[in-house]
Amino acid sequence: MVSPVLYQSRSRSDDPFEAAADAGVLRVISDSRTPVFLTVHARGRRRYGYWQPYDHIADRGGCYVALPTPVCDRLYSQGRITLGDPLVDPGKTTYRVRPANDPVAPVRIPVAPLPAVAAAQTLAA
């Protein structure tokens, strides 16, 4: 018998498989070449997915790929993904899914070139 004092259960956020699933889904959502959409059907069923173009080299693709709904819902509840404006049809509503924080391009600080005399002095020192 395990003592309840010595036994500590792990929370679900500590699960390495959960973290890997989150990272995989975020990788797909963050790829600008792969637009991901959430479709909410009239009866409440939700489906996250994207179109995988046909790859003639691998001879696969040309189909819709569904992402795991529980993982996407968890990312949405954590604020890691956002939903765009709704497109409403009679039987469903579609949202564009994007990462919450778009990566910012690195800032490059311009550096004034050294005069030739100063560069020679620096190299000689």
Side-chain angles (χ1 to χ4, degrees), residues 1-90:
M1 180 90 181
V2 177
S3 169
V5 176
L6 298 176
Y7 177 75
Q8 294 181 358
S9 68
R10 295 180 352 173
S11 69
R12 289 186 53 86
S13 62
D14 293 337
D15 187 3
F17 295 112
E18 186 175 282
D22 290 357
V25 169
L26 277 174
R27 188 176 307 116
V28 171
I29 293 172
S30 298
D31 186 1
S32 62
R33 298 171 296 169
T34 309
V36 176
F37 295 94
L38 164 64
T39 303
V40 181
H41 294 274
R43 296 187 179 225
R45 183 174 70 98
R46 294 181 322 280
R47 177 58 66 196
Y48 295 84
Y50 64 95
W51 175 258
Q52 182 179 17
Y54 180 73
D55 182 4
H56 69 279
I57 296 171
D59 194 29
R60 62 181 230 194
C63 60
Y64 283 102
V65 178
L67 294 172
T69 302
V71 173
C72 293
D73 285 343
R74 182 174 53 248
L75 292 172
Y76 179 71
S77 68
Q78 293 172 353
R80 297 176 74 183
I81 59 175
T82 60
L83 303 178
D85 294 331
L87 176 64
V88 181
D89 289 336

Side-chain angles (χ1 to χ4, degrees), residues 83-98:
L83 303 178
D85 294 331
L87 176 64
V88 181
D89 289 336
K92 64 183 177 182
T93 303
T94 305
Y95 302 89
R96 173 73 191 266
V97 179
R98 290 191 169 92

